[in-house]
Amino acid sequence: MRYTASHWGAYQFDGNGLAPVSDDPAPARIGRGWLSAARDRNSRILTPAIREGWLAGDGGAGRGRDGFVSVSWDRAAGLAAQELARVRDAHGNGAVFAGSYGWASAGRFHHAQSQLRRFLNLCGGFVGARDTYSHAAAEVLFPHVLGLSNRAVQDGMTSWPLVAEHCTLLVAFGGISPRTAQINSSGTAGHEVAGWLGRLRARVVNISPQDSDYPGADWWAIRPGTDTALLLALAHTLWAEGLQNEGFLARCTSGWSEFRDYLSGAADGVAKSADWAAPLCDLDAARIRALARDMAANRTMITLNWGMQRADHGEQPLWAGLALAAMLGQIGQPGTGFAFGYGSTTAVGRPAKLYDWPSLPQGRNPVADFIPVARIADMLENPGAPYRYNLTERRYPDIRLVWWAGGNPFHHHQDLFRLERAWRRPETMIVQDHSWTATARRADIVLPATTPLERDDLMLSRRDPALIYMSQRIDPMGLALDDHDILRRIGTELGVAEAFTEGRDTQGWLRWLWDGTRAEAERHGTDLPDYDRFREMGRFDMPDAGDTRVFLQDFVQAPAHHPLPSESGKITLFNTAIARAKLPDCAGHPAWMPPFESLLDAPEGALHLISGQPDTRLHSQNDRGVESQADKIDGRESCYLHPETARAHNLTEGTIVRLWNARGACLAGLRLTPTIRLDCVALPTGAWFDPDEDGLERAGNPNVLTRDIGCSTLSQGNTAHTTLVHIAQWHGDLPPLSIAQPPAIRQG
Ligand SMILES: Nc1nc2c(c(=O)[nH]1)N[C@H]1C(S)=C(S)[C@@H](COP(=O)(O)OP(=O)(O)OC[C@H]3O[C@@H](n4cnc5c(=O)[nH]c(N)nc54)[C@H](O)[C@@H]3O)O[C@H]1N2
Ligand SMILES: Nc1nc2c(c(=O)[nH]1)N[C@H]1C(S)=C(S)[C@@H](COP(=O)(O)OP(=O)(O)OC[C@H]3O[C@@H](n4cnc5c(=O)[nH]c(N)nc54)[C@H](O)[C@@H]3O)O[C@H]1N2
Ligand SMILES: [Mo]
């Protein structure tokens, strides 16, 4: 049997197509659009291409408007090498930005960012990016309050079978959704979250602006952006009624008295009571108090999704949720306590062993400089400007060359019209991608990469027992090359090709990776077949002991023997390092701060925009495939609105609407659903950014509406979920999409 794999699942070859592996209990919808997207000649980059204006020396002004010249690989590789050498000689490697954030593809070897980092490290280094768009607030906060990285927290999440068995009240902030559980970074052979949800015996409360985030649960339609207020009110009720577990607080936390003084109002004169929170959250005070009592009376798990912290003050709901769970004193016990990210991907809480599979060695980056990942436009616009991040003062580098492989900033970044302006500043933009994404269309040197369907690779996912030999399914489109080959060619010009390849071709590297895989499996007591045998089998399943774990169990059982590596050795409800920094937007304890814009002080008619992950794609990937296209209305992304709101705004289902605010405007198709709050509109991310000359985005990309500002000076995470918009019927002619066709390309 032959297989391939993706972040949305593992597939076996099936006639002319692909079928999800037969033991996957809930194959992802996303896979249905994969082959058609990969074969779409209108969106695949077929040859290397150079932007016309750049060749004419326009300094970047024409990015996003220009056509391209199709060139040979020799020419393209030569130009890329020449630009890197020029910028490096004139300005040093600190002028090269290759943060290159993005999901690229599953597969250990052909991981575009890893390839690019390895290559640039051999060329003297680059300015990188810290943290992720997924959960930057968590990545910066957890090391302070728990002494643990977010990766360690995610790895340590209490396993689903224990939640199913022991939990009697599951309070899910932002829900737990099989929609997002379609994905596992670096692949999965099985989608199990829906199955686990079916086995829960707990009462489930879904605290979310959307009922659809956990269908069938008790829906509390909270006003978005106010979860911290609710969490504090639940904590306040526990304290006011003497329901907190003082023994746990004393043994396992530090700073309870400071946090208590904040809750009670002793610190600032405002009691964070249910009556205080109710009007903020648009919930009933008596119900809030009742839920707090239920939490204390039950075996309770508090879980927050990742999305909640992609918002202004994104650290606060996390920290407040942790503090509330600490007051309940059920952290460290099976099936109860605190969780972050159940359902946000399929692997969180999965009862499996964790493996440290090998990956492509990236070498060492001689450049120490970096930016927080979502501060790219700030960096491009303000070289040398000071900013704060993670309790340090830093300055933005002066970037002349940007090199992106395996990511799509014109998908993932906020306020795309601002990014468009900032993006014109550097001297040279190099992009490796397989498709004419909005980012590739804004590059000077465009290098066509293969998709995973066009090459062999290995799926080795540390949280999934299936090991897959990914076989090539289709011929490379046009002149596309594997990222490794692209960089090898450029490396030849720069004299680093040999160091880059170490004399191995793809098969050589896959064998090398498999050797490391066998060694790791042996450490876990499993003998793996040799490489040739594995390649023939296509799949090997590690014995899945169904390993379960309980978050923070060792620490809670013996805090003195297993202290947390935090400043107090305990869970810090008050953190002295953060407090001492006197940040304007993050106190020493969890606290409520109103978001910079919200329904709490919205102009008449404004709606809150929820721009979550799309059901039909992985971000912008496969958007041109059949599954994503079938969900659109006249080729525009569908947005979701409550029927009553549609009536009040005179909007008709199935027609085109315009969404706008001061930052931008886009078109979208309209669908109605009673599963969303009356004052919210949901427009998933991922439609390819396609603005016309007048600044109207035509495809339905929500990131022309979101604001580009850090969620605090602590983490500088993105604030995509803090956005207000207006909506109206679109009466004009429907402008054609330009992203449905390749850009203008002439033969060079
Ligand atoms: N408004 C709003 N914005 C958001 C979010 C949100 O919730 N709301 N979510 C954020 C989050 S959590 C994330 S993770 C980001 C995701 O942002 P990205 O990860 O940037 O989005 P993708 O569309 O997955 O981009 C991956 C790119 O890699 C390319 N690619 C795939 N395989 C290969 C390969 O083998 N080689 C090369 N060279 N290229 C390849 C794809 O064609 C695609 O262009 O978006 C963020 N943006
Ligand atoms: N199908 C699919 N699955 C994916 C991805 C994809 O692109 N497609 N991307 C993957 C990636 S990279 C990531 S990081 C994860 C992200 O996983 P999540 O962050 O969990 O996903 P989101 O869709 O951003 O948000 C989930 C829900 O949060 C709710 N929400 C928004 N604002 C608030 C709020 O203020 N309060 C409350 N209580 N709820 C709120 C929204 O109703 C939204 O539906 O998803 C992964 N899974
Ligand atoms: Mo993400």
Side-chain angles (χ1 to χ4, degrees), residues 105-116 118 358-362 455-460 470 482-485 487-488 500-501 504-514:
S105 61
R108 277 280 146 151
F109 177 61
H110 295 292
H111 182 249
Q113 286 86 357
S114 305
Q115 293 283 354
L116 181 61
R118 175 180 170 85
S359 53
L360 181 73
Q362 295 179 11
R455 60 202 184 205
D456 285 14
D457 208 334
L458 304 176
M459 177 191 117
L460 309 167
M470 298 163 61
D482 300 344
D483 292 286
H484 183 74
D485 290 333
L487 295 168
R488 179 182 52 75
F500 179 65
T501 64
R504 295 187 190 98
D505 59 7
T506 292
Q507 278 302 320
W509 277 107
L510 297 187
R511 277 176 196 278
W512 182 89
L513 286 165
W514 188 250

Side-chain angles (χ1 to χ4, degrees), residues 103 134-135 154 160 173-185 193 213 303-310 339-349 613 618-619:
W103 269 60
S134 311
H135 32 48
Q154 297 293 309
W160 277 116
F173 286 82
I176 299 175
S177 172
R179 169 180 54 89
T180 41
Q182 291 183 79
I183 294 298
N184 181 35
S185 171
V193 168
D213 285 331
T303 179
L304 288 86
N305 75 356
W306 290 348
M308 194 152 329
Q309 45 83 73
R310 294 199 292 280
F340 176 53
Y342 283 149
S344 292
T345 57
T346 195
V348 182
Q613 313 294 18
L618 174 61
H619 316 128

Side-chain angles (χ1 to χ4, degrees), residues 605-652:
L607 302 171
H608 179 98
L609 175 72
I610 299 167
S611 56
Q613 313 294 18
D615 195 20
T616 58
R617 317 175 272 272
L618 174 61
H619 316 128
S620 70
Q621 298 189 51
N622 297 353
D623 186 43
R624 306 305 305 162
V626 290
E627 188 70 8
S628 169
Q629 290 298 318
D631 228 40
K632 305 203 182 218
I633 295 174
D634 285 331
R636 321 299 144 138
E637 190 66 16
S638 297
C639 69
Y640 296 82
L641 199 64
H642 196 283
E644 270 182 47
T645 313
R647 247 191 318 277
H649 288 258
N650 277 323
L651 306 174
T652 314

